[in-house]
Amino acid sequence: MDYSNIDFTLDDAIATITVDRPDRLNALNPQTMQEIEHCIDAIRDDRSIRCVIFTGAGEKAFIAGADITAMVTMSGFEEKTFAYHGNQVLRAFEHLPIPIIAAVNGYALGGGTELALACDLILAADTARFGLPEIKLGIIPGFGGTQRLPRRVGLLRAREMIYTGDMIDAATAYEFGLVNHVYPAAELMGEANALATKIARQAPLGIQQAKAAINGGIEVDLDTGLRFETEAVGLAFSTDDKKEGMTAFLEKREPQFQGK
Ligand code: CAA
């Protein structure tokens, strides 16, 4: 598939997906969502990729939401299809056996905050703004915002954000536990690459199993979650990388993980 709305680069083991519609503040239209879905499918099949960075083109926006130009004429049923697809794409982020870092370089509104919430880690520029302003358009969040935001920041904070549509700045997002770190805008991509490199050096099957245990266990009771973890740790113990990691520790050297 040729991409016209996203840019995909691969540098060693780190893939970067950039939504590339800066004149529309990287708003997500159906075509962009299809391209993101295709790209995630391709990443899933590429065993050389160990970490993904997701960001937006330009200095102003990460993603300013779903594309209002595309949505203005949508019927309820058409929007339902768009939202269903959006949710499938963001679920694919969560099921991808590779971590995704959102590098939020500006406005992350509506679908932009929702997409970031489906990533494993969120780094923000100090210029970033988060929000779910859908209520101001007479609608409500449609890519999982009513579900993931309360789980992430708590009911009271999420309700206020969703009922008012107000944006929060990066410092507030950090205080809310919505982002991992905040950096000066000029340093954001360097920091995202440094974090991705650190993750890419770890045992990939271990990372895969840790992600599966975290995401599988977060919505279930503790005993069920612990069973997920037990399965995952058993699988991690069956890898060559387990032997390498423990042998390297005992031999006082850095491990060389192969993803096997
Ligand atoms: N969809 C389509 N176009 C958008 C857009 C969006 N979500 N956000 C910005 N744009 C366009 C603007 O219309 C403008 O286009 P023109 O140059 O043709 O006028 C261009 O991008 C630049 O934007 P602004 O001139 O508005 O820039 P600004 O600096 O004055 O304001 C902003 C920036 C505060 C982000 C403002 O653009 C804004 O409020 N955007 C809409 C945010 C929004 O409501 N997002 C939620 C969408 S609904 C959704 O996401 C549903 C869901 O759950 C999936």
Side-chain angles (χ1 to χ4, degrees):
M1 183 181 200
D2 287 334
Y3 300 140
S4 49
N5 294 343
I6 66 169
D7 181 51
F8 174 75
T9 59
L10 187 54
D11 183 7
D12 205 359
I14 299 167
T16 302
I17 303 172
T18 306
V19 180
D20 193 11
R21 303 181 75 214
D23 54 324
R24 304 242 61 84
L25 302 191
N26 303 319
L28 302 170
N29 61 6
Q31 172 70 24
T32 308
M33 293 306 290
Q34 277 163 19
E35 292 182 13
I36 292 170
E37 181 177 41
H38 184 276
C39 196
I40 292 292
D41 283 347
I43 288 171
R44 188 182 301 105
D45 293 339
D46 186 337
R47 288 173 55 89
S48 73
I49 298 174
R50 304 274 174 95
C51 195
V52 180
I53 298 172
F54 199 106
T55 192
E59 290 175 3
K60 202 165 165 182
F62 173 68
I63 293 166
D67 191 321
I68 299 167
T69 320
M71 288 191 301
V72 67
T73 54
M74 275 186 197
S75 68
F77 278 97
E78 286 166 339
E79 164 56 18
K80 213 172 153 185
T81 304
F82 183 47
Y84 181 77
H85 182 242
N87 279 325
Q88 277 187 316
V89 176
L90 297 195
R91 222 47 192 133
F93 280 36
E94 290 168 330
H95 290 305
L96 190 74
I98 303 164
I100 307 181
I101 300 170
V104 178
N105 55 314
Y107 290 112
L109 300 177
T113 282
E114 292 172 300
L115 185 143
L117 281 166
C119 294
D120 292 86
L121 300 156
I122 307 179
L123 306 186
D126 52 4
T127 52
R129 298 286 180 276
F130 295 82
L132 294 178
E134 286 89 342
I135 204 72
K136 296 182 176 180
L137 299 170
I139 57 167
I140 68 164
F143 287 180
T146 63
Q147 303 306 304
R148 289 191 184 87
L149 190 67
R151 285 164 165 82
R152 182 69 55 84
V153 304
L155 272 177
L156 295 181
R157 286 167 168 163
R159 281 189 184 126
E160 188 171 340
M161 287 176 71
I162 292 168
Y163 296 170
T164 65
D166 286 347
M167 293 184 223
I168 57 170
D169 62 16
T172 308
Y174 180 75
E175 188 197 321
F176 282 11
L178 178 57
V179 306
N180 291 80
H181 304 285
V182 179
Y183 298 109
E187 294 169 22
L188 177 68
M189 288 313 290
E191 293 290 348
N193 273 294
L195 179 58
T197 302
K198 197 184 265 191
I199 291 169
R201 278 200 210 107
Q202 310 305 323
L205 296 175
I207 296 276
Q208 177 193 111
Q209 290 306 312
K211 179 167 175 172
I214 292 168
N215 287 354
I218 199 79
E219 298 297 341
V220 298
D221 66 278
L222 185 59
D223 282 329
T224 308
L226 290 172
R227 278 202 295 279
F228 278 132
E229 186 189 80
T230 307
E231 291 300 318
V233 75
L235 283 174
F237 262 71
S238 70
T239 63
D240 289 352
D241 283 346
K242 171 258 179 182
K243 289 190 205 93
E244 168 63 7
M246 294 196 182
T247 306
F249 175 81
L250 295 173
E251 293 175 354
K252 302 189 188 310
R253 61 174 175 81
E254 285 298 310
Q256 298 297 321
F257 293 122
Q258 303 298 326
K260 290 181 184 160

